Amino acid sequence: QEGEDGAQQPHDAALTDPRKRTIDRLRLDYGARWLVADTAAGPVSPELARFATTRFSRGTVTVYELR
């Protein structure tokens, strides 16, 4: 999903192109501690494993705890 300026929203960016600044923004600006991903809704980068731990997975849904 894109914002008004055409940029990806932080949650989507964290899933598809995770970077330290994006994860930090989710944690600090939004108070996020968890991410929920559904591969039926879109791709999830394997790089997310650098910033989050898988806590639950069933079918196409995975719940990650941010580190």
Side-chain angles (χ1 to χ4, degrees), residues 25-63:
R25 182 174 178 207
L26 282 172
R27 257 199 312 266
L28 299 172
D29 294 350
Y30 296 93
R33 293 179 45 218
W34 302 87
L35 289 176
V36 177
D38 185 345
T39 55
V44 178
S45 171
E47 290 297 308
L48 183 56
R50 293 177 44 215
F51 305 102
T53 302
T54 300
R55 295 297 185 193
F56 175 83
S57 185
R58 180 170 293 162
T60 62
V61 176
T62 303
V63 178

Side-chain angles (χ1 to χ4, degrees), residues 1-41:
Q1 189 167 28
E2 295 181 355
E4 292 176 17
D5 61 358
Q8 275 189 314
Q9 294 298 307
H11 177 272
D12 294 334
L15 296 176
T16 60
D17 188 20
R19 297 168 191 240
K20 183 178 181 329
R21 71 174 177 253
T22 304
I23 301 300
D24 287 347
R25 182 174 178 207
L26 282 172
R27 257 199 312 266
L28 299 172
D29 294 350
Y30 296 93
R33 293 179 45 218
W34 302 87
L35 289 176
V36 177
D38 185 345
T39 55

